[in-house]
Amino acid sequence: MYWAFSIYRPLYPKSRYVWVQVRILHETEKAVLVENVEKIWIPKSQIRKIRLKDRVFEVYVREGMFW
């Protein structure tokens, strides 16, 4: 009834996702090697979307994955 005022939301906030500009170096069946500041393998299950914007790849991943 009063779900908006419950204690659940402050204890379990929603995950935030952000667009991050990357350079795709290598792709396997389960992960993608990208370079932003450093090289990192991102599992394909963690990538929500990929887009090409002005000749730069951007991936939509959970906030904090690169920091």
Side-chain angles (χ1 to χ4, degrees):
M1 184 170 168
Y2 293 99
W3 181 252
F5 302 110
S6 72
I7 196 165
Y8 179 83
R9 191 174 288 287
L11 292 178
Y12 303 101
K14 288 185 177 181
S15 296
R16 293 180 45 185
Y17 290 86
V18 293
W19 287 102
V20 180
Q21 290 185 354
V22 295
R23 194 172 109 201
I24 297 176
L25 302 175
H26 187 72
E27 180 181 1
T28 65
E29 191 174 309
K30 295 185 179 184
V32 178
L33 178 63
V34 297
E35 181 180 21
N36 181 335
V37 175
E38 61 184 43
K39 294 179 185 176
I40 184 171
W41 284 97
I42 302 176
K44 286 186 176 179
S45 62
Q46 298 294 319
I47 299 173
R48 297 293 177 159
K49 299 177 187 176
I50 296 178
R51 71 180 177 192
L52 180 64
K53 186 176 182 182
D54 297 328
R55 294 184 286 171
V56 176
F57 281 103
E58 294 182 344
V59 293
Y60 194 61
V61 293
R62 191 175 64 236
E63 185 177 45
M65 182 166 264
F66 285 94
W67 303 279

